[in-house]
Short mmCIF file of all heavy atoms in Angstrom, two decimals:
data_model
loop_
_atom_site.label_atom_id
_atom_site.label_comp_id
_atom_site.label_asym_id
_atom_site.label_seq_id
_atom_site.Cartn_x
_atom_site.Cartn_y
_atom_site.Cartn_z
N MET O 1 -103.65 8.52 -79.43
CA MET O 1 -102.59 7.64 -78.94
C MET O 1 -101.22 8.46 -78.88
O MET O 1 -100.92 9.19 -79.87
CB MET O 1 -102.43 6.53 -79.88
CG MET O 1 -101.50 5.39 -79.27
SD MET O 1 -101.40 4.07 -80.33
CE MET O 1 -103.27 3.60 -80.41
N THR O 2 -100.43 8.43 -77.83
CA THR O 2 -99.18 9.12 -77.65
C THR O 2 -98.09 8.20 -77.55
O THR O 2 -98.18 7.09 -76.97
CB THR O 2 -99.25 10.14 -76.54
OG1 THR O 2 -99.67 9.50 -75.43
CG2 THR O 2 -100.26 11.23 -76.86
N CYS O 3 -96.97 8.62 -77.95
CA CYS O 3 -95.70 7.95 -77.85
C CYS O 3 -95.27 7.74 -76.39
O CYS O 3 -95.33 8.65 -75.61
CB CYS O 3 -94.56 8.69 -78.63
SG CYS O 3 -92.95 7.92 -78.31
N ARG O 4 -94.84 6.48 -75.96
CA ARG O 4 -94.41 6.18 -74.65
C ARG O 4 -93.11 6.93 -74.25
O ARG O 4 -92.84 7.03 -73.06
CB ARG O 4 -94.28 4.65 -74.51
CG ARG O 4 -93.20 4.08 -75.43
CD ARG O 4 -93.18 2.60 -75.33
NE ARG O 4 -92.57 2.13 -74.03
CZ ARG O 4 -92.38 0.78 -73.78
NH1 ARG O 4 -92.81 -0.13 -74.63
NH2 ARG O 4 -91.87 0.52 -72.55
N VAL O 5 -92.37 7.36 -75.25
CA VAL O 5 -91.10 7.95 -75.00
C VAL O 5 -91.21 9.49 -74.90
O VAL O 5 -90.97 10.13 -73.93
CB VAL O 5 -90.00 7.55 -76.01
CG1 VAL O 5 -88.68 8.30 -75.66
CG2 VAL O 5 -89.76 6.02 -75.92
N CYS O 6 -91.73 10.09 -76.07
CA CYS O 6 -91.73 11.56 -76.14
C CYS O 6 -93.01 12.11 -76.00
O CYS O 6 -93.14 13.43 -75.85
CB CYS O 6 -91.06 11.87 -77.46
SG CYS O 6 -92.15 11.53 -78.93
N GLY O 7 -94.09 11.36 -75.88
CA GLY O 7 -95.44 11.92 -75.79
C GLY O 7 -96.00 12.49 -76.91
O GLY O 7 -97.09 13.08 -76.93
N GLY O 8 -95.29 12.34 -78.13
CA GLY O 8 -95.81 13.01 -79.40
C GLY O 8 -96.88 11.97 -79.94
O GLY O 8 -97.08 10.92 -79.49
N PRO O 9 -97.58 12.40 -81.02
CA PRO O 9 -98.57 11.59 -81.64
C PRO O 9 -98.00 10.31 -82.38
O PRO O 9 -96.88 10.45 -82.92
CB PRO O 9 -99.22 12.50 -82.67
CG PRO O 9 -98.11 13.61 -83.00
CD PRO O 9 -97.31 13.70 -81.71
N VAL O 10 -98.78 9.23 -82.27
CA VAL O 10 -98.29 7.98 -82.89
C VAL O 10 -99.14 7.86 -84.20
O VAL O 10 -100.35 7.63 -84.23
CB VAL O 10 -98.52 6.72 -82.03
CG1 VAL O 10 -98.18 5.46 -82.84
CG2 VAL O 10 -97.64 6.87 -80.79
N GLU O 11 -98.41 8.01 -85.34
CA GLU O 11 -99.12 7.91 -86.71
C GLU O 11 -99.60 6.49 -86.90
O GLU O 11 -99.15 5.57 -86.38
CB GLU O 11 -98.20 8.30 -87.81
CG GLU O 11 -97.43 9.64 -87.62
CD GLU O 11 -96.13 9.60 -86.73
OE1 GLU O 11 -95.98 8.43 -86.05
OE2 GLU O 11 -95.33 10.46 -86.70
N PRO O 12 -100.69 6.37 -87.82
CA PRO O 12 -101.15 5.09 -88.08
C PRO O 12 -100.10 4.16 -88.50
O PRO O 12 -100.11 2.98 -88.11
CB PRO O 12 -102.21 5.36 -89.13
CG PRO O 12 -102.65 6.72 -88.97
CD PRO O 12 -101.46 7.47 -88.42
N VAL O 13 -99.21 4.57 -89.32
CA VAL O 13 -98.17 3.68 -89.87
C VAL O 13 -97.16 3.21 -88.71
O VAL O 13 -96.78 2.11 -88.64
CB VAL O 13 -97.33 4.31 -91.04
CG1 VAL O 13 -96.57 5.55 -90.69
CG2 VAL O 13 -96.49 3.24 -91.72
N ALA O 14 -96.97 4.19 -87.81
CA ALA O 14 -96.05 3.89 -86.66
C ALA O 14 -96.77 2.87 -85.72
O ALA O 14 -96.17 1.89 -85.22
CB ALA O 14 -95.69 5.12 -85.84
N TRP O 15 -98.05 3.02 -85.56
CA TRP O 15 -98.92 2.09 -84.77
C TRP O 15 -98.74 0.68 -85.37
O TRP O 15 -98.57 -0.31 -84.60
CB TRP O 15 -100.31 2.69 -84.75
CG TRP O 15 -101.30 1.70 -84.07
CD1 TRP O 15 -101.50 1.66 -82.68
CD2 TRP O 15 -102.16 0.74 -84.70
NE1 TRP O 15 -102.47 0.65 -82.45
CE2 TRP O 15 -102.87 0.10 -83.63
CE3 TRP O 15 -102.32 0.29 -85.95
CZ2 TRP O 15 -103.80 -0.91 -83.91
CZ3 TRP O 15 -103.24 -0.74 -86.28
CH2 TRP O 15 -103.96 -1.30 -85.21
N ALA O 16 -98.89 0.63 -86.75
CA ALA O 16 -98.84 -0.69 -87.28
C ALA O 16 -97.50 -1.31 -87.19
O ALA O 16 -97.34 -2.50 -86.94
CB ALA O 16 -99.18 -0.54 -88.84
N LEU O 17 -96.44 -0.45 -87.32
CA LEU O 17 -95.09 -1.00 -87.21
C LEU O 17 -94.86 -1.53 -85.74
O LEU O 17 -94.21 -2.52 -85.57
CB LEU O 17 -94.04 0.08 -87.51
CG LEU O 17 -93.86 0.29 -89.00
CD1 LEU O 17 -93.07 1.59 -89.19
CD2 LEU O 17 -92.99 -0.88 -89.69
N ASN O 18 -95.38 -0.83 -84.80
CA ASN O 18 -95.27 -1.22 -83.37
C ASN O 18 -95.83 -2.67 -83.24
O ASN O 18 -95.19 -3.57 -82.64
CB ASN O 18 -96.04 -0.42 -82.45
CG ASN O 18 -95.22 0.88 -82.02
OD1 ASN O 18 -94.56 0.84 -80.97
ND2 ASN O 18 -95.27 1.93 -82.82
N LEU O 19 -97.04 -2.89 -83.77
CA LEU O 19 -97.65 -4.25 -83.64
C LEU O 19 -96.81 -5.22 -84.44
O LEU O 19 -96.72 -6.41 -84.03
CB LEU O 19 -99.12 -4.21 -84.22
CG LEU O 19 -100.02 -3.37 -83.49
CD1 LEU O 19 -101.44 -3.45 -84.05
CD2 LEU O 19 -100.11 -3.74 -82.01
N LYS O 20 -96.22 -4.80 -85.53
CA LYS O 20 -95.44 -5.82 -86.47
C LYS O 20 -94.17 -6.16 -85.85
O LYS O 20 -93.76 -7.25 -85.81
CB LYS O 20 -95.35 -5.14 -87.83
CG LYS O 20 -94.95 -6.15 -88.88
CD LYS O 20 -96.21 -6.79 -89.37
CE LYS O 20 -95.85 -7.86 -90.40
NZ LYS O 20 -96.94 -8.77 -90.77
N ILE O 21 -93.45 -5.09 -85.40
CA ILE O 21 -91.92 -5.43 -84.99
C ILE O 21 -91.72 -5.28 -83.53
O ILE O 21 -90.73 -5.78 -83.12
CB ILE O 21 -90.97 -4.46 -85.81
CG1 ILE O 21 -91.11 -3.08 -85.50
CG2 ILE O 21 -91.12 -4.70 -87.31
CD1 ILE O 21 -90.19 -2.15 -86.25
N VAL O 22 -92.58 -4.75 -82.79
CA VAL O 22 -92.46 -4.77 -81.28
C VAL O 22 -93.20 -5.90 -80.67
O VAL O 22 -92.57 -6.86 -80.23
CB VAL O 22 -92.91 -3.41 -80.70
CG1 VAL O 22 -92.62 -3.41 -79.16
CG2 VAL O 22 -92.26 -2.24 -81.24
N SER O 23 -94.45 -5.88 -80.76
CA SER O 23 -95.29 -6.98 -80.21
C SER O 23 -96.80 -6.79 -80.72
O SER O 23 -97.27 -5.67 -80.72
CB SER O 23 -95.26 -6.94 -78.73
OG SER O 23 -96.30 -7.72 -78.15
N ARG O 24 -97.33 -7.87 -81.05
CA ARG O 24 -98.80 -7.88 -81.46
C ARG O 24 -99.65 -7.49 -80.31
O ARG O 24 -100.80 -7.02 -80.45
CB ARG O 24 -99.24 -9.32 -81.93
CG ARG O 24 -99.15 -9.54 -83.36
CD ARG O 24 -100.06 -8.62 -84.12
NE ARG O 24 -99.86 -8.79 -85.58
CZ ARG O 24 -100.80 -9.14 -86.35
NH1 ARG O 24 -102.05 -9.30 -85.98
NH2 ARG O 24 -100.54 -9.33 -87.62
N SER O 25 -99.21 -7.64 -79.09
CA SER O 25 -99.91 -7.28 -77.92
C SER O 25 -99.46 -6.09 -77.21
O SER O 25 -99.76 -5.85 -76.04
CB SER O 25 -99.97 -8.53 -76.95
OG SER O 25 -98.69 -8.85 -76.69
N ALA O 26 -98.74 -5.25 -77.94
CA ALA O 26 -98.17 -3.98 -77.38
C ALA O 26 -99.36 -3.14 -76.86
O ALA O 26 -100.42 -3.04 -77.47
CB ALA O 26 -97.37 -3.21 -78.44
N THR O 27 -99.13 -2.57 -75.71
CA THR O 27 -100.15 -1.63 -75.21
C THR O 27 -99.58 -0.27 -75.04
O THR O 27 -100.26 0.69 -74.86
CB THR O 27 -100.58 -2.03 -73.78
OG1 THR O 27 -99.46 -2.28 -72.94
CG2 THR O 27 -101.33 -3.36 -73.79
N GLU O 28 -98.32 -0.10 -75.24
CA GLU O 28 -97.58 1.18 -75.32
C GLU O 28 -96.98 1.27 -76.62
O GLU O 28 -96.40 0.35 -77.07
CB GLU O 28 -96.64 1.39 -74.22
CG GLU O 28 -97.30 1.44 -72.83
CD GLU O 28 -96.19 1.70 -71.69
OE1 GLU O 28 -95.39 0.70 -71.60
OE2 GLU O 28 -96.26 2.62 -71.03
N PHE O 29 -96.90 2.43 -77.22
CA PHE O 29 -96.48 2.56 -78.58
C PHE O 29 -95.39 3.62 -78.73
O PHE O 29 -95.39 4.66 -77.97
CB PHE O 29 -97.62 2.84 -79.50
CG PHE O 29 -98.68 1.74 -79.55
CD1 PHE O 29 -99.78 1.76 -78.64
CD2 PHE O 29 -98.58 0.65 -80.42
CE1 PHE O 29 -100.63 0.75 -78.62
CE2 PHE O 29 -99.44 -0.26 -80.43
CZ PHE O 29 -100.49 -0.32 -79.57
N PHE O 30 -94.61 3.50 -79.66
CA PHE O 30 -93.56 4.43 -80.07
C PHE O 30 -93.97 5.14 -81.23
O PHE O 30 -94.57 4.65 -82.19
CB PHE O 30 -92.20 3.72 -80.40
CG PHE O 30 -91.55 3.00 -79.33
CD1 PHE O 30 -91.66 1.64 -79.18
CD2 PHE O 30 -90.81 3.60 -78.32
CE1 PHE O 30 -91.07 0.92 -78.19
CE2 PHE O 30 -90.14 2.98 -77.28
CZ PHE O 30 -90.30 1.57 -77.29
N CYS O 31 -93.69 6.52 -81.36
CA CYS O 31 -93.81 7.31 -82.57
C CYS O 31 -92.75 6.74 -83.49
O CYS O 31 -91.79 6.09 -83.18
CB CYS O 31 -93.82 8.72 -82.39
SG CYS O 31 -92.20 9.38 -81.95
N LEU O 32 -92.90 7.21 -84.83
CA LEU O 32 -91.83 6.73 -85.81
C LEU O 32 -90.42 7.00 -85.37
O LEU O 32 -89.53 6.20 -85.54
CB LEU O 32 -92.33 7.39 -87.17
CG LEU O 32 -92.05 6.52 -88.40
CD1 LEU O 32 -92.68 5.15 -88.22
CD2 LEU O 32 -92.72 7.23 -89.61
N GLN O 33 -90.28 8.25 -84.94
CA GLN O 33 -88.87 8.69 -84.55
C GLN O 33 -88.33 7.90 -83.45
O GLN O 33 -87.18 7.45 -83.52
CB GLN O 33 -88.97 10.21 -84.16
CG GLN O 33 -87.65 10.88 -83.88
CD GLN O 33 -86.84 10.90 -85.13
OE1 GLN O 33 -87.32 11.43 -86.15
NE2 GLN O 33 -85.64 10.42 -85.10
N CYS O 34 -89.11 7.73 -82.42
CA CYS O 34 -88.64 6.89 -81.27
C CYS O 34 -88.43 5.46 -81.54
O CYS O 34 -87.62 4.74 -81.01
CB CYS O 34 -89.53 7.11 -80.08
SG CYS O 34 -89.52 8.85 -79.45
N LEU O 35 -89.29 5.05 -82.45
CA LEU O 35 -89.25 3.56 -82.93
C LEU O 35 -87.88 3.38 -83.59
O LEU O 35 -87.18 2.38 -83.40
CB LEU O 35 -90.45 3.27 -83.87
CG LEU O 35 -90.68 1.85 -84.15
CD1 LEU O 35 -91.09 1.06 -82.77
CD2 LEU O 35 -91.82 1.70 -85.12
N ALA O 36 -87.60 4.32 -84.54
CA ALA O 36 -86.31 4.28 -85.18
C ALA O 36 -85.10 4.23 -84.21
O ALA O 36 -84.11 3.46 -84.35
CB ALA O 36 -86.14 5.47 -86.14
N GLU O 37 -85.13 5.13 -83.23
CA GLU O 37 -84.01 5.21 -82.19
C GLU O 37 -84.01 3.87 -81.46
O GLU O 37 -82.96 3.32 -81.16
CB GLU O 37 -84.30 6.38 -81.26
CG GLU O 37 -83.75 7.61 -81.82
CD GLU O 37 -84.05 8.81 -80.98
OE1 GLU O 37 -84.08 8.71 -79.75
OE2 GLU O 37 -84.27 9.89 -81.62
N HIS O 38 -85.15 3.36 -81.02
CA HIS O 38 -85.20 2.11 -80.26
C HIS O 38 -84.58 0.98 -81.01
O HIS O 38 -83.88 0.18 -80.39
CB HIS O 38 -86.63 1.81 -79.93
CG HIS O 38 -86.88 0.71 -79.01
ND1 HIS O 38 -86.60 0.76 -77.68
CD2 HIS O 38 -87.23 -0.55 -79.20
CE1 HIS O 38 -86.86 -0.45 -77.04
NE2 HIS O 38 -87.36 -1.24 -78.00
N PHE O 39 -84.78 0.86 -82.33
CA PHE O 39 -84.30 -0.15 -83.08
C PHE O 39 -82.90 0.16 -83.80
O PHE O 39 -82.51 -0.56 -84.66
CB PHE O 39 -85.36 -0.77 -84.06
CG PHE O 39 -86.44 -1.54 -83.42
CD1 PHE O 39 -87.57 -0.95 -83.06
CD2 PHE O 39 -86.21 -2.91 -83.08
CE1 PHE O 39 -88.55 -1.70 -82.35
CE2 PHE O 39 -87.08 -3.66 -82.43
CZ PHE O 39 -88.29 -3.05 -82.04
N LYS O 40 -82.41 1.30 -83.42
CA LYS O 40 -81.09 1.72 -83.97
C LYS O 40 -81.18 1.79 -85.58
O LYS O 40 -80.36 1.26 -86.23
CB LYS O 40 -80.00 0.76 -83.58
CG LYS O 40 -79.93 0.65 -82.09
CD LYS O 40 -78.85 1.48 -81.45
CE LYS O 40 -78.85 1.33 -79.96
NZ LYS O 40 -79.86 2.07 -79.22
N THR O 41 -82.29 2.32 -86.05
CA THR O 41 -82.46 2.40 -87.42
C THR O 41 -82.97 3.79 -87.79
O THR O 41 -82.75 4.81 -86.94
CB THR O 41 -83.42 1.35 -87.95
OG1 THR O 41 -83.55 1.42 -89.40
CG2 THR O 41 -84.83 1.41 -87.37
N THR O 42 -83.42 4.07 -88.96
CA THR O 42 -83.89 5.37 -89.34
C THR O 42 -85.27 5.40 -89.69
O THR O 42 -85.86 4.31 -90.07
CB THR O 42 -83.11 5.93 -90.67
OG1 THR O 42 -83.31 4.97 -91.69
CG2 THR O 42 -81.56 5.93 -90.39
N VAL O 43 -85.92 6.53 -89.67
CA VAL O 43 -87.31 6.65 -90.00
C VAL O 43 -87.52 6.23 -91.42
O VAL O 43 -88.44 5.62 -91.75
CB VAL O 43 -87.80 8.14 -89.77
CG1 VAL O 43 -89.16 8.37 -90.38
CG2 VAL O 43 -87.85 8.46 -88.27
N ALA O 44 -86.56 6.62 -92.33
CA ALA O 44 -86.67 6.27 -93.73
C ALA O 44 -86.70 4.71 -93.94
O ALA O 44 -87.49 4.25 -94.75
CB ALA O 44 -85.51 6.85 -94.50
N SER O 45 -85.90 4.04 -93.14
CA SER O 45 -85.90 2.60 -93.40
C SER O 45 -87.20 1.88 -92.80
O SER O 45 -87.68 0.95 -93.28
CB SER O 45 -84.64 1.96 -92.85
OG SER O 45 -84.58 1.99 -91.43
N LEU O 46 -87.74 2.49 -91.73
CA LEU O 46 -88.98 2.02 -91.14
C LEU O 46 -90.07 2.23 -92.19
O LEU O 46 -90.90 1.43 -92.36
CB LEU O 46 -89.35 2.78 -89.87
CG LEU O 46 -88.55 2.42 -88.56
CD1 LEU O 46 -88.92 3.24 -87.43
CD2 LEU O 46 -88.71 0.94 -88.27
N GLU O 47 -90.02 3.41 -92.87
CA GLU O 47 -91.02 3.69 -93.82
C GLU O 47 -91.01 2.67 -94.98
O GLU O 47 -91.94 2.31 -95.61
CB GLU O 47 -90.94 5.10 -94.32
CG GLU O 47 -91.59 6.07 -93.30
CD GLU O 47 -91.31 7.55 -93.64
OE1 GLU O 47 -90.39 7.92 -94.44
OE2 GLU O 47 -92.05 8.45 -93.04
N GLU O 48 -89.74 2.36 -95.30
CA GLU O 48 -89.53 1.36 -96.38
C GLU O 48 -90.14 0.03 -95.96
O GLU O 48 -90.75 -0.75 -96.78
CB GLU O 48 -87.99 1.17 -96.67
CG GLU O 48 -87.46 1.74 -97.87
CD GLU O 48 -86.02 1.68 -97.90
OE1 GLU O 48 -85.46 0.51 -97.84
OE2 GLU O 48 -85.24 2.59 -98.02
N ALA O 49 -89.80 -0.38 -94.66
CA ALA O 49 -90.39 -1.58 -94.15
C ALA O 49 -91.88 -1.61 -94.26
O ALA O 49 -92.57 -2.59 -94.64
CB ALA O 49 -89.83 -1.88 -92.72
N ALA O 50 -92.47 -0.47 -93.86
CA ALA O 50 -93.95 -0.35 -93.79
C ALA O 50 -94.47 -0.53 -95.24
O ALA O 50 -95.47 -1.17 -95.52
CB ALA O 50 -94.36 1.03 -93.29
N ALA O 51 -93.75 0.11 -96.30
CA ALA O 51 -94.16 -0.07 -97.61
C ALA O 51 -94.12 -1.52 -98.10
O ALA O 51 -95.00 -1.94 -98.82
CB ALA O 51 -93.24 0.78 -98.51
N ARG O 52 -93.11 -2.21 -97.69
CA ARG O 52 -93.04 -3.65 -97.99
C ARG O 52 -94.21 -4.49 -97.32
O ARG O 52 -94.75 -5.26 -98.07
CB ARG O 52 -91.62 -4.28 -97.49
CG ARG O 52 -90.51 -4.04 -98.39
CD ARG O 52 -89.35 -5.02 -98.18
NE ARG O 52 -88.85 -4.97 -96.67
CZ ARG O 52 -88.02 -4.10 -96.30
NH1 ARG O 52 -87.43 -3.20 -97.16
NH2 ARG O 52 -87.69 -4.06 -95.05
N TYR O 53 -94.47 -4.20 -96.12
CA TYR O 53 -95.53 -4.90 -95.47
C TYR O 53 -96.84 -4.54 -96.12
O TYR O 53 -97.70 -5.44 -96.38
CB TYR O 53 -95.73 -4.52 -93.94
CG TYR O 53 -94.55 -4.99 -93.09
CD1 TYR O 53 -93.95 -4.14 -92.23
CD2 TYR O 53 -94.13 -6.37 -93.13
CE1 TYR O 53 -92.90 -4.59 -91.31
CE2 TYR O 53 -93.18 -6.86 -92.35
CZ TYR O 53 -92.50 -5.92 -91.49
OH TYR O 53 -91.47 -6.42 -90.65
N ARG O 54 -97.05 -3.33 -96.53
CA ARG O 54 -98.25 -2.89 -97.13
C ARG O 54 -98.43 -3.59 -98.51
O ARG O 54 -99.48 -4.08 -98.78
CB ARG O 54 -98.22 -1.42 -97.38
CG ARG O 54 -99.57 -0.90 -97.97
CD ARG O 54 -99.55 0.67 -98.14
NE ARG O 54 -99.59 1.39 -96.83
CZ ARG O 54 -98.67 2.19 -96.50
NH1 ARG O 54 -97.62 2.51 -97.16
NH2 ARG O 54 -98.80 2.85 -95.29
N ALA O 55 -97.21 -3.66 -99.22
CA ALA O 55 -97.22 -4.25 -100.55
C ALA O 55 -97.53 -5.82 -100.46
O ALA O 55 -98.14 -6.38 -101.34
CB ALA O 55 -95.95 -4.12 -101.24
N ALA O 56 -97.18 -6.41 -99.26
CA ALA O 56 -97.39 -7.86 -99.07
C ALA O 56 -98.84 -8.00 -98.59
O ALA O 56 -99.22 -9.13 -98.31
CB ALA O 56 -96.48 -8.26 -97.98
N GLY O 57 -99.61 -6.95 -98.46
CA GLY O 57 -100.95 -7.06 -98.14
C GLY O 57 -101.35 -7.11 -96.71
O GLY O 57 -102.35 -7.59 -96.25
N CYS O 58 -100.29 -6.79 -95.81
CA CYS O 58 -100.53 -6.85 -94.40
C CYS O 58 -101.70 -5.91 -93.96
O CYS O 58 -101.67 -4.73 -94.29
CB CYS O 58 -99.29 -6.40 -93.62
SG CYS O 58 -99.52 -6.45 -91.86
N VAL O 59 -102.63 -6.41 -93.35
CA VAL O 59 -103.93 -5.73 -93.05
C VAL O 59 -103.72 -4.60 -92.03
O VAL O 59 -104.60 -3.73 -91.78
CB VAL O 59 -105.12 -6.59 -92.49
CG1 VAL O 59 -105.47 -7.54 -93.61
CG2 VAL O 59 -104.63 -7.41 -91.25
N LEU O 60 -102.60 -4.60 -91.33
CA LEU O 60 -102.24 -3.58 -90.24
C LEU O 60 -102.03 -2.27 -90.86
O LEU O 60 -102.18 -1.16 -90.30
CB LEU O 60 -101.04 -3.94 -89.44
CG LEU O 60 -101.26 -5.19 -88.38
CD1 LEU O 60 -99.97 -5.53 -87.78
CD2 LEU O 60 -102.36 -4.85 -87.40
N PHE O 61 -101.53 -2.28 -92.10
CA PHE O 61 -101.08 -1.10 -92.75
C PHE O 61 -102.11 -0.49 -93.65
O PHE O 61 -102.57 -1.08 -94.61
CB PHE O 61 -99.80 -1.36 -93.57
CG PHE O 61 -98.63 -1.66 -92.68
CD1 PHE O 61 -98.46 -3.00 -92.23
CD2 PHE O 61 -97.77 -0.68 -92.15
CE1 PHE O 61 -97.42 -3.24 -91.31
CE2 PHE O 61 -96.74 -0.95 -91.31
CZ PHE O 61 -96.60 -2.29 -90.88
N PRO O 62 -102.59 0.72 -93.36
CA PRO O 62 -103.62 1.35 -94.16
C PRO O 62 -103.05 1.69 -95.53
O PRO O 62 -101.96 2.11 -95.65
CB PRO O 62 -103.79 2.70 -93.35
CG PRO O 62 -102.65 2.99 -92.59
CD PRO O 62 -102.04 1.61 -92.24
N PRO O 63 -103.95 1.50 -96.54
CA PRO O 63 -103.51 1.79 -97.95
C PRO O 63 -103.27 3.35 -98.09
O PRO O 63 -103.91 4.16 -97.36
CB PRO O 63 -104.69 1.40 -98.78
CG PRO O 63 -105.85 1.36 -97.84
CD PRO O 63 -105.33 1.10 -96.51
N THR O 64 -102.29 3.68 -98.83
CA THR O 64 -102.06 5.13 -99.06
C THR O 64 -103.00 5.77 -100.02
O THR O 64 -103.35 5.16 -100.96
CB THR O 64 -100.57 5.42 -99.44
OG1 THR O 64 -100.27 4.43 -100.52
CG2 THR O 64 -99.59 5.24 -98.38
ZN1 ZN U 101 -91.71 9.37 -79.60
#
């Protein structure tokens, strides 16, 4: 799977974040970096959000 913006690889955690905060029915995905830019945030805060979702038991997020 490649990023719709930069064509780079979409990591599993980025994929899960796309489904969670972009759309459950997303067919195009952003990599972590482009997701951060799209939402005017930082990769670090996206990773924090992912950690929160994972801790909450969200099945989209693979265990570390
Ligand atoms: Zn990208």
Side-chain angles (χ1 to χ4, degrees):
M1 190 178 302
T2 53
C3 173
R4 62 187 287 182
V5 178
C6 70
V10 175
E11 307 85 344
V13 65
W15 175 85
L17 281 167
N18 276 266
L19 294 182
K20 197 81 185 173
I21 65 181
V22 181
S23 166
R24 262 302 173 118
S25 55
T27 53
E28 290 181 300
F29 298 89
F30 296 99
C31 69
L32 218 48
Q33 188 63 52
C34 294
L35 198 61
E37 273 172 39
H38 186 75
F39 285 98
K40 308 263 181 278
T41 182
T42 61
V43 168
S45 68
L46 286 177
E47 283 172 341
E48 256 175 54
R52 275 200 306 275
Y53 289 132
R54 183 181 290 124
C58 179
V59 294
L60 289 174
F61 293 86
T64 44

